[in-house]
Amino acid sequence: MTETAPEDRREPKFAAGHEEEGKVAAVIAWALYILSLPSANLLVLVGLIVAYAGKGAATGLPRQHIEAQISLFWSVFWWTIGLWIVAIGSFISIILIPLGFLCLFALFLLTVWFTVKSVLGLLNLLGGRAP
């Protein structure tokens, strides 16, 4: 006696060849980006590694999210480097000290923006929307 599979039975969502391939990596990377704030930004590096590792196999919407994660990391990284250079240079020059405090405030805003962008990215991914 042979059993036939029910018609409504589907393959797992994350099997190879599905349009959702790479979604797990994208969700993990967004979650690690969000958790980077309480981890003193150590988990953002792990999230970046996950994003780069999942990029090759990802397709469709998850691929867009992974590319957005990588782009977000590098843009925030270079803004952070630039702001720190200006802040340190400002504190060295006694006249430009207020500019240094302004740069530190900008770094705080950059961190908040990164976290909010990561939360919105995760919500968009779970909702099936582009980043």
Side-chain angles (χ1 to χ4, degrees), residues 10-23 57-60 62:
R10 294 181 261 165
E11 292 181 37
K13 276 186 164 182
F14 304 117
H18 277 276
E19 65 181 41
E20 302 253 334
E21 189 170 347
K23 187 172 183 178
T59 58

Side-chain angles (χ1 to χ4, degrees), residues 104-125:
L104 293 179
F105 182 68
L107 283 166
F108 169 75
L109 291 179
L110 189 63
T111 302
V112 170
W113 176 76
F114 179 82
T115 304
V116 169
K117 181 92 170 138
S118 298
V119 169
L120 293 176
L122 179 61
L123 292 175
N124 284 338
L125 178 62

Side-chain angles (χ1 to χ4, degrees), residues 40-105:
N41 291 330
L42 294 177
L43 290 179
V44 75
L45 297 174
V46 178
L48 180 67
I49 292 168
V50 169
Y52 271 117
K55 183 179 178 182
T59 58
L61 187 65
R63 172 95 179 190
Q64 292 176 7
H65 278 270
I66 288 174
E67 288 174 355
Q69 291 162 353
I70 293 169
S71 175
L72 177 65
F73 172 83
W74 286 112
S75 64
V76 169
F77 175 80
W78 290 115
W79 273 104
T80 301
I81 296 296
L83 286 170
W84 272 113
I85 289 171
V86 172
I88 292 171
S90 299
F91 285 122
I92 291 173
S93 170
I94 193 97
I95 299 169
L96 299 175
I97 287 179
L99 180 62
F101 284 114
L102 184 63
C103 286
L104 293 179
F105 182 68

